[in-house]
Amino acid sequence: MKIIPIKSNKKVELIDITEEIEKMLPPKDGICIIYIPHTTAGIIINEGADPAVKEDILNIYDKIAPINFPYKHLEGNSPGHVKSSLTGPSLILIVEKGKLLLGTWQRVFFAEYDGPRNRKVYIKFIEG
Amino acid sequence: MKIIPIKSNKKVELIDITEEIEKMLPPKDGICIIYIPHTTAGIIINEGADPAVKEDILNIYDKIAPINFPYKHLEGNSPGHVKSSLTGPSLILIVEKGKLLLGTWQRVFFAEYDGPRNRKVYIKFIEG
Amino acid sequence: MKIIPIKSNKKVELIDITEEIEKMLPPKDGICIIYIPHTTAGIIINEGADPAVKEDILNIYDKIAPINFPYKHLEGNSPGHVKSSLTGPSLILIVEKGKLLLGTWQRVFFAEYDGPRNRKVYIKFIEG
């Protein structure tokens, strides 16, 4: 198991970690488990070419879990918890010869929902 | 493959099954697949310390898929189907020496979206 | 790794690919990774018996990511990107003797969010 450290800079942002993940992989075939050990962050795969896509995704997430809502949790980060529960903490990817088998437009993003913070991502490779 | 039986008590609730999962694991390294064989339930990882977080998550889910909406499915449980499709039926976790590699605040919850019911969770461990 | 080709016919639709997946599996125990290499599509498991459930799911998704919203991405398919980010590109299923271990009502759907298009689904089986 390997760890990628992340330093987020905004309250909410998507950080491309595709290359960091691939650096962790051996030159073999198998699967790669990406795991986020946080409750106000997540992992997303989507388009990386046009940064506007990231904005649109995060803006709709803000609409889903708005800042103004009668939340019971009093730390002010309930939108982050909700978004984290929706996008999930783990993802499984197919690896071929040490490269992630992604689609043409796909990039892997660490989703920060309550930054800025120091975060980490766990990477586990299983040959097969 | 092992099975955890669940007895939900409310229409909608998050039930902490972290300990039940760990009881099923051998004292080895690997990955653990959690699978929910239901269409109006799901699996979520989020904060377990403050129960208000669970309430906030479920209240936003009720906003996403409200009871009052022109649903076509006539069994009255369409909100449960929608929530199940969003949070997903499966999750993959990293296991170290028989313990789930969770973050400090993370717990694994069975998400009941159309209870109360008798449910089950499938657990499969793969060494690696 | 095997590939299932998909031909979607509508802008937004759920296409049952359960049988196509099972045709790809060897008669063994293990896990099956389903991966969608697209940024405006996804994978969903839910009820297949009543087609109205699929409609309800897609109608709520349209409410979450409506056509009319101040999107920044100018290709007109931002709702598809958002939906794809929410339902996710990958899924892990348990396999017993070459059959997917699904619940009674569960079917696996390719989720088209920006069709009609030619798409593909990657299937990887790992014995264990």
Side-chain angles (χ1 to χ4, degrees):
Chain A
M1 204 271 294
K2 297 190 174 179
I3 298 175
I4 299 173
I6 309 265
K7 174 84 188 72
S8 65
N9 294 303
K10 297 180 187 172
K11 181 76 177 176
V12 172
E13 75 181 303
L14 299 183
I15 299 169
D16 189 331
I17 57 168
T18 315
E19 286 178 27
E20 283 78 359
I21 296 169
E22 289 195 331
K23 280 179 199 161
M24 301 288 180
L25 300 174
K28 295 177 179 174
D29 290 359
I31 56 172
C32 172
I33 293 101
I34 302 169
Y35 188 79
I36 310 293
H38 305 290
T39 57
T40 54
I43 189 88
I44 283 177
I45 289 193
N46 214 273
E47 182 183 323
D50 179 4
V53 171
K54 295 197 287 183
E55 280 188 75
D56 290 343
I57 288 172
L58 294 175
N59 286 339
I60 291 287
Y61 289 8
D62 279 341
K63 187 171 79 76
I64 292 172
I67 293 169
N68 292 311
F69 186 82
Y71 295 111
K72 305 287 174 64
H73 182 56
L74 299 177
E75 293 181 16
N77 60 0
S78 284
H81 286 293
V82 173
K83 293 170 189 174
S84 175
S85 77
L86 282 171
T87 52
S90 69
L91 203 61
I92 191 158
L93 296 167
I94 300 170
V95 178
E96 292 199 332
K97 293 178 187 167
K99 293 283 169 191
L100 297 173
L101 193 69
L102 299 172
T104 312
W105 304 103
Q106 286 183 322
R107 304 290 288 180
V108 186
F109 297 103
F110 175 85
E112 175 61 79
Y113 300 130
D114 188 37
R117 293 207 204 194
N118 290 308
R119 303 288 204 171
K120 52 192 175 176
V121 176
Y122 298 154
I123 306 291
K124 187 176 177 78
F125 173 80
I126 292 192
E127 202 173 343
Chain B
M1 204 272 295
K2 296 187 175 182
I3 298 175
I4 299 173
I6 308 265
K7 173 84 188 73
S8 65
N9 294 303
K10 297 180 186 171
K11 180 76 177 177
V12 172
E13 75 181 303
L14 299 183
I15 300 168
D16 189 331
I17 57 169
T18 314
E19 286 179 27
E20 283 78 358
I21 295 168
E22 290 195 330
K23 280 180 199 159
M24 301 287 179
L25 300 173
K28 296 177 178 173
D29 290 358
I31 56 173
C32 172
I33 293 101
I34 302 169
Y35 189 80
I36 310 292
H38 305 290
T39 57
T40 54
I43 189 88
I44 283 177
I45 288 193
N46 213 273
E47 182 183 321
D50 179 4
V53 172
K54 295 196 288 183
E55 279 188 75
D56 289 343
I57 288 172
L58 294 175
N59 285 340
I60 291 287
Y61 289 8
D62 280 342
K63 187 171 79 76
I64 292 172
I67 293 168
N68 292 312
F69 185 82
Y71 296 111
K72 305 287 175 63
H73 181 56
L74 298 176
E75 293 181 15
N77 60 358
S78 285
H81 286 293
V82 173
K83 294 170 189 176
S84 175
S85 77
L86 282 170
T87 53
S90 69
L91 203 60
I92 191 158
L93 296 167
I94 300 171
V95 179
E96 291 200 331
K97 293 178 187 167
K99 292 284 170 190
L100 297 173
L101 194 68
L102 299 173
T104 312
W105 304 104
Q106 287 183 322
R107 304 289 289 179
V108 186
F109 297 103
F110 175 85
E112 174 62 78
Y113 301 130
D114 188 37
R117 293 206 204 195
N118 290 308
R119 303 287 205 173
K120 51 191 175 177
V121 176
Y122 298 154
I123 306 291
K124 188 175 176 80
F125 173 80
I126 291 191
E127 202 172 344
Chain C
M1 206 271 294
K2 297 188 174 181
I3 298 175
I4 299 173
I6 308 264
K7 173 86 188 69
S8 66
N9 294 303
K10 298 180 187 171
K11 180 76 176 176
V12 173
E13 75 181 301
L14 298 183
I15 300 169
D16 189 331
I17 57 168
T18 315
E19 286 179 27
E20 283 78 359
I21 295 168
E22 290 194 331
K23 281 179 198 161
M24 301 288 179
L25 300 174
K28 295 176 179 175
D29 289 359
I31 56 173
C32 171
I33 292 101
I34 302 169
Y35 189 80
I36 310 292
H38 305 290
T39 58
T40 54
I43 189 88
I44 284 177
I45 289 193
N46 214 274
E47 182 184 321
D50 178 5
V53 172
K54 295 196 287 183
E55 280 187 75
D56 290 342
I57 288 172
L58 294 175
N59 286 339
I60 291 287
Y61 288 8
D62 281 341
K63 187 171 79 75
I64 292 172
I67 293 169
N68 292 313
F69 186 82
Y71 296 111
K72 305 286 174 64
H73 181 57
L74 299 176
E75 293 180 16
N77 59 359
S78 284
H81 286 292
V82 174
K83 294 170 188 174
S84 174
S85 77
L86 282 170
T87 53
S90 68
L91 202 61
I92 190 157
L93 296 166
I94 300 170
V95 178
E96 292 199 332
K97 293 178 186 170
K99 292 285 170 189
L100 297 173
L101 194 67
L102 298 172
T104 312
W105 304 105
Q106 285 183 321
R107 303 292 288 179
V108 186
F109 297 103
F110 175 84
E112 174 62 79
Y113 301 130
D114 188 36
R117 294 206 204 193
N118 290 309
R119 303 287 205 174
K120 52 192 174 176
V121 177
Y122 298 154
I123 306 291
K124 187 174 176 78
F125 173 79
I126 291 191
E127 203 172 343

